[in-house]
Amino acid sequence: MSQTKVFKIASIPADGVGKEVVAAGRRVLDTIAEQSSGKFAFDWTEFPWGCEYYAQHGVMMDPNGLETLKDFDSIYFGAVGWENVPDHVSLWGLRLNITQNFDQWANIRPVKFLPGVTSPLRKADDTELDWIVVRENSEGEYAGLGGRNLSGRGPGNEIALQTALFSEKGCERIIRFAFDLARTRTVKKVSSVTKSNAQQYGMVLWDEVFNRVALDYPEVRTESVLVDAMSAKFILNPEELSVVVASNLNADILSDLGSALAGSLGLAASANLNPERRFPSMFEPVHGTAPDIAGQGICNPIGAIASAALMLEHFGLEQEARRVEAAIEVATGSGNLTRDIGGNADTEAVTEAIVHALSSTLAAV
Ligand code: ATP
């Protein structure tokens, strides 16, 4: 028998519901590994970083944390942020520290409509909807460039600059990534989103790169849409979407809109990829720490579990990824729904239903 492939995974549940959903995702991943007949296994190391760690140590993660994480095959992340730490400190101290230093420049966020989950979109009842937001994840509006000054002039006179960075290389790599992804999909189309009428430097550069790269993909249809018009399109004509590529901030906002349209923020998955594989990639649900429901065992684990499926895909375990997605559909289709999507099942029950459904999808492959 061939040797078991062991994937070393760093788990960082961090704060709030992050802890609950990471535990659920680990259970699903361990189940799928157990069912692989020795083909692969996961070797987990959990790190206690986050806002509680900050309260004890004054930093969001170990100062050597990046050095430690470098040697893992991937990172499975929960959510970061709590009331004891300003949001920009917790975000930059942990999540953005990892995405930026590991050059995880491609963030993919599929928008999936699940059976049994009611969408606020009436169209979702009888229209096939399925699209992916590809978010530039390393520069743009979240480049972290700028500063504050002039507070010495007295109250009310401080100034702040928050500069967006658009490099030709940064635009090209994410746009090419979107086209390569579109090639693999049934609907071969890329929609590029900017606000280049108002932001005439960075986003016009983006548009030019988009038009140039598109020439290399004649089989992929294209459109360029302003972000305000794209927000309307998400609601009015989402059936026209396949791959939507946008800058860091615009894609962040649009993907929250997409997950709300699919039924809940708790359903949405995401992968922060370093496509060259020089560093580990990071998989996490789109949602935050949900302080309003944290610690009650009632949060939706599906966003985190669907992110685990993206991790399986990243490891080349396509069939296993499809099985996890199918198990999620079996669970929601048979009425295992948390409160955010209109049910009354708790996190444990939904996770259990997905784990149980994995056995039936095992029979199907
Ligand atoms: P953060 O600052 O960490 O992003 P937030 O409250 O601004 O926190 P979210 O944590 O994403 O943003 O929560 C937004 C809303 O979505 C909340 O009402 C929360 O309860 C809900 N929500 C988020 N994640 C889940 C989940 N996994 N299951 C159920 N509801 C969720």
Side-chain angles (χ1 to χ4, degrees):
M1 193 175 132
S2 60
Q3 247 194 335
T4 302
K5 167 80 188 149
V6 177
F7 295 102
K8 282 179 65 188
I9 317 288
S11 91
I12 309 176
D15 306 310
V17 295
K19 295 186 178 123
E20 298 161 58
V21 299
V22 161
R26 279 183 65 160
R27 224 182 119 202
V28 170
L29 284 169
D30 283 337
T31 305
I32 203 124
E34 278 160 25
Q35 293 174 347
S36 77
S37 311
K39 184 171 143 196
F40 63 92
F42 296 109
D43 175 10
W44 294 94
T45 306
E46 187 155 304
F47 294 92
W49 303 330
C51 291
E52 278 170 37
Y53 188 88
Y54 186 93
Q56 289 160 15
H57 304 275
V59 284
M60 289 297 295
M61 66 189 288
D62 184 282
N64 294 321
L66 291 174
E67 200 48 38
T68 311
L69 290 176
K70 205 163 65 32
D71 297 327
F72 284 83
D73 292 306
S74 82
I75 303 164
Y76 191 48
F77 195 87
V80 65
W82 207 247
E83 60 192 14
N84 62 320
V85 186
D87 278 349
H88 65 280
V89 173
S90 58
L91 192 62
W92 278 99
L94 186 57
R95 193 186 160 278
L96 288 177
N97 195 14
I98 297 171
T99 56
Q100 296 234 328
N101 284 298
F102 285 173
D103 203 18
Q104 294 167 346
W105 51 266
N107 180 206
I108 65 161
R109 296 181 160 189
V111 179
K112 275 213 183 321
F113 290 73
L114 295 171
V117 179
T118 310
S119 163
L121 277 182
R122 255 181 292 160
K123 211 172 230 183
D125 295 342
D126 53 15
T127 316
E128 187 67 28
L129 300 175
D130 170 26
W131 72 95
I132 301 188
V133 177
V134 173
R135 170 185 178 193
E136 202 297 313
N137 212 31
S138 64
E139 47 184 54
E141 307 85 346
Y142 295 0
L145 298 174
R148 294 171 62 164
N149 206 349
L150 305 187
S151 59
R153 287 185 182 173
N157 287 306
E158 189 173 357
I159 57 112
L161 282 179
Q162 186 82 47
T163 307
L165 169 79
F166 290 89
S167 71
E168 203 167 341
K169 284 205 166 71
C171 295
E172 173 150 359
R173 65 184 181 177
I174 196 68
I175 289 168
R176 242 175 229 291
F177 184 93
F179 274 97
D180 288 334
L181 180 62
R183 258 187 181 158
T184 68
R185 290 173 59 83
T186 318
V187 179
K188 295 178 180 25
K189 179 178 177 188
V190 179
S191 307
S192 165
V193 182
T194 61
K195 187 65 185 167
S196 48
N197 55 348
Q199 296 178 299
Q200 73 273 52
Y201 307 118
M203 295 217 164
V204 170
L205 178 67
W206 173 293
D207 283 347
E208 287 171 10
V209 173
F210 182 75
N211 293 335
R212 172 159 55 78
V213 171
L215 298 176
D216 294 340
Y217 298 82
E219 75 281 30
V220 179
R221 285 186 294 130
T222 62
E223 63 179 353
S224 290
V225 184
L226 297 177
V227 66
D228 36 2
M230 184 53 90
S231 315
K233 191 165 184 152
F234 263 42
I235 293 164
L236 300 174
N237 304 102
E239 69 281 2
E240 292 175 11
L241 304 172
S242 179
V243 174
V244 177
V245 63
S247 64
N248 219 328
L249 171 67
N250 287 336
D252 196 9
I253 298 168
L254 285 174
S255 58
D256 260 32
L257 176 58
S259 41
L261 293 175
S264 167
L265 202 48
L267 298 169
S270 115
N272 301 285
L273 302 175
N274 173 245
E276 301 87 358
R277 297 181 189 242
R278 281 196 305 129
F279 298 102
S281 292
M282 180 159 75
F283 301 83
E284 56 168 352
V286 168
H287 65 76
T289 53
D292 50 337
I293 55 165
Q296 300 176 36
I298 58 168
C299 63
N300 195 334
I302 290 179
I305 294 172
S307 306
L310 295 176
M311 184 159 94
L312 291 168
E313 203 174 294
H314 182 69
F315 289 150
L317 300 168
E318 304 279 347
Q319 203 173 61
E320 287 78 3
R322 297 293 85 79
R323 281 183 52 217
V324 171
E325 286 167 359
I328 291 172
E329 294 195 7
V330 169
T332 59
S334 53
N336 290 285
L337 308 174
T338 42
R339 287 175 208 194
D340 55 311
I341 44 177
N344 54 20
D346 60 13
T347 312
E348 167 71 27
V350 172
T351 309
E352 181 56 42
I354 293 170
V355 166
H356 183 75
L358 277 176
S359 307
S360 51
T361 61
L362 184 62
V365 290

